[in-house]
């Protein structure tokens, strides 16, 4: 009877032995059962999660921003550009810089700022000209200057225009808190009186709030198009672009491939912002040829902003373009040689307006 029971027990243990002896250990030691999950022969690659589309884009630079600024009125400030007045202050923070001859071969800048609140000092501020005001009008900008040519004062008075004048009118008074004189505005420099007028981002922002000038006029839209790939594929090499304004002033722009920007030079030296010593750097360089004519004994100019030819440099390449503006209130518009609207790169822009007799060169 005992033999029958033992045989029966042995038969019951056979399946267990089979399960544990498929890969016997050569030493005879007991082995553990290991469960291995099946691995598929192939697996679809995981697509990266796309970056979210920016909520808003800056109207003047096309860069992503966190706030809708399309309704906000910019300011346009006249900046002195005589050698003896340099360096300017706040010029490196301008969203767009326009440089145009004034008289006697000298140039001045019109610095356009979408958000003046973040600026430090701005200056030195100099006098207005009709064509600078017309460019400011195209941006629906508040125009800030210190004095003006007779031509512009005639236009201002006859049309009842509002501008912020640091020489005549309310804003020239100390009580307005808009402008002040500092003949030692840059350490180590002492300036003549006419090169000493300053304002600031805080003063500008306070003025805009007091005058309720923070919003564009109804229906205004800045129509510029921006692109992530604006460098002209069919352009000529433009590592260095030379822009002659006159026998007195030639601008030079050198492309920095690491930063993707053009670094500006004038008078044989880097063109810097006196607030922090940084060199002015821009993504877009536009050179526009315009008809210029002397209109008075002081050598002041009339600059026609109706239309013309020019060049566009971005990403180390340059192409010919055409441009048009028309009336004072209209915007500057740029076109490729084929007539298509020009798309700018995302970033700051520098617009040089030179006499039709002058030609920009690239190398």
């Amino acid at each position: 009877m005992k033999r029958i029971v033992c045989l029966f027990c042995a038969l019951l243990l056979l399946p267990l032995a089979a399960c544990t002896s498929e890969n016997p250990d050569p030493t005879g030691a007991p082995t553990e059962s290991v469960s291995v999950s099946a691995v598929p022969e192939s697996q679809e690659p995981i697509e990266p999660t796309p970056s979210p589309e920016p909520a808003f884009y800056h109207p003047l630079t096309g860069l992503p921003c966190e706030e809708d600024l399309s309704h906000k009125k910019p300011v346009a400030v006249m900046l002195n550009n005589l050698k003896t007045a340099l360096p300017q202050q706040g010029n490196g923070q301008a969203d767009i810089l326009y440089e145009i001859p004034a008289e006697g071969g000298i140039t001045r800048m019109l610095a356009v700022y979408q958000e003046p609140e973040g600026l430090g000092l701005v200056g030195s501020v100099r006098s207005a000209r009709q064509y600078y005001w017309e460019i400011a009008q195209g941006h629906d900008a508040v125009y800030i200057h210190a004095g003006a040519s007779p031509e512009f004062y005639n236009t201002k008075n006859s049309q009842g225009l509002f501008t912020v004048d640091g020489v005549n009118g309310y804003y020239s008074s100390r009580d307005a808190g808009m402008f002040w004189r500092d003949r030692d505005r840059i350490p180590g420099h002492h300036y003549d009186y006419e090169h000493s007028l300053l304002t600031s981002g805080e003063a500008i922002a306070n003025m805009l709030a007091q005058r309720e000038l923070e919003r564009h006029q109804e229906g205004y839209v800045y129509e510029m198009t921006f692109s992530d790939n604006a460098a002209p594929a069919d352009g000529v090499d433009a590592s260095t672009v030379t822009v002659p304004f006159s026998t007195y002033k030639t601008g030079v722009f050198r492309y920095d491939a690491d930063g993707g920007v053009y670094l500006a030079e004038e008078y044989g030296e880097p063109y810097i912002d006196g607030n922090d010593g940084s060199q002015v750097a821009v993504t877009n360089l536009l050179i526009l040829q315009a008809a210029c004519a002397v209109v008075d004994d002081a050598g002041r100019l009339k600059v026609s902003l109706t239309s013309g030819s020019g060049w566009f440099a971005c990403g180390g390449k340059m192409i010919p373009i055409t441009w048009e503006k028309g009336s004072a209130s209209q915007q500057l518009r740029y076109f490729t040689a084929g007539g298509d609207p020009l798309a700018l790169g995302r970033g700051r822009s520098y617009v040089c307006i030179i006499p039709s007799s002058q030609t920009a060169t690239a190398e």
Side-chain angles (χ1 to χ4, degrees):
M1 184 66 180
K2 290 182 179 180
R3 289 182 179 178
I4 294 173
V5 171
C6 290
L7 180 59
F8 179 75
C9 291
L11 291 171
L12 290 175
L13 291 173
L14 280 174
L16 180 60
C19 292
T20 58
S21 61
E22 290 182 2
N23 297 294
D25 190 310
T27 63
T31 60
E32 295 182 357
S33 176
V34 179
S35 175
V36 179
S37 300
V39 179
E41 294 182 1
S42 64
Q43 187 173 7
E44 292 293 328
I46 299 174
E47 294 291 335
T49 303
S51 300
E53 183 73 13
F56 304 103
Y57 288 97
H58 192 284
L60 300 184
T61 67
L63 292 169
C65 58
E66 297 180 356
E67 179 185 355
D68 183 6
L69 302 174
S70 60
H71 64 280
K72 190 170 184 179
K73 183 187 285 286
V75 297
V77 186
M78 291 293 302
L79 296 180
N80 195 348
N81 197 41
L82 282 175
K83 290 181 185 179
T84 54
L86 298 179
Q88 298 167 359
Q89 292 169 265
N91 50 320
Q93 293 176 270
D95 298 311
I96 307 175
L97 272 173
Y98 293 91
E99 183 176 7
I100 318 173
E103 64 265 350
I106 70 171
T107 64
R108 286 185 184 152
M109 275 75 170
L110 181 71
V112 182
Y113 304 95
Q114 185 71 52
E115 298 180 275
E117 300 89 341
L119 297 174
L121 298 177
V122 182
S124 62
V125 183
R126 283 307 299 264
S127 60
R129 298 290 183 271
Q130 179 81 17
Y131 44 93
Y132 287 100
W133 169 75
E134 291 177 4
I135 290 173
Q137 284 291 98
H139 287 287
D140 188 36
V142 176
Y143 189 45
I144 300 174
H145 60 103
S149 65
E151 178 192 22
F152 179 65
Y153 271 142
N154 286 338
T155 298
K156 178 179 176 177
N157 295 334
S158 64
Q159 297 184 22
L161 303 177
F162 171 77
T163 68
V164 182
D165 189 343
V167 169
N168 293 296
Y170 169 71
Y171 286 106
S172 65
S173 69
R174 185 182 297 271
D175 293 341
M178 182 70 195
F179 299 97
W180 61 92
R181 297 277 178 181
D182 182 358
R183 299 183 71 174
D184 299 302
R185 57 189 180 84
I186 301 291
H189 293 253
H190 185 72
Y191 295 91
D192 292 337
Y193 182 79
E194 65 267 28
H195 306 324
S196 65
L197 191 68
L198 295 176
T199 186
S200 70
E202 181 180 7
I204 294 171
N206 289 340
M207 177 272 299
L208 293 174
Q210 291 166 5
R211 299 284 308 210
E212 297 183 346
L213 291 172
E214 292 144 310
R215 298 184 68 87
H216 277 299
Q217 61 181 319
E218 188 68 28
Y220 178 86
V221 177
Y222 186 54
E223 299 173 0
M224 187 58 63
T225 299
F226 296 91
S227 170
D228 294 323
N229 302 295
D234 56 348
V236 300
D237 290 338
S239 295
T240 300
V241 180
T242 302
V243 183
F245 290 88
S246 66
T247 55
Y248 176 80
K249 168 65 199 289
T250 296
V252 177
F253 300 84
R254 302 188 192 278
Y255 184 63
D256 174 19
D258 292 335
V261 293
Y262 279 96
L263 300 175
E265 300 176 9
E266 62 175 7
Y267 308 121
E269 297 180 353
Y271 175 45
I272 67 169
D273 185 332
N275 283 339
D276 60 10
S278 62
Q279 189 170 3
V280 172
V282 297
T283 301
N284 305 292
L285 174 61
L286 297 120
I287 306 108
L288 315 181
Q289 292 175 310
C292 302
V294 177
V295 294
D296 61 22
D297 293 339
R300 297 186 184 94
L301 299 178
K302 179 179 180 62
V303 177
S304 174
L305 296 177
T306 52
S307 61
S309 301
W311 299 268
F312 167 61
C314 181
K317 298 287 186 178
M318 190 167 83
I319 58 172
I321 61 170
T322 62
W323 62 273
E324 64 180 34
K325 184 179 190 299
S327 69
S329 63
Q330 292 181 313
Q331 304 174 30
L332 275 167
R333 293 178 172 86
Y334 310 114
F335 304 92
T336 67
D340 297 320
L342 182 70
L344 302 185
R346 299 192 187 280
R348 293 187 170 106
S349 297
Y350 198 124
V351 183
C352 306
I353 298 181
I354 63 176
S356 299
S357 58
Q358 301 285 6
T359 301
T361 58
E363 54 184 335

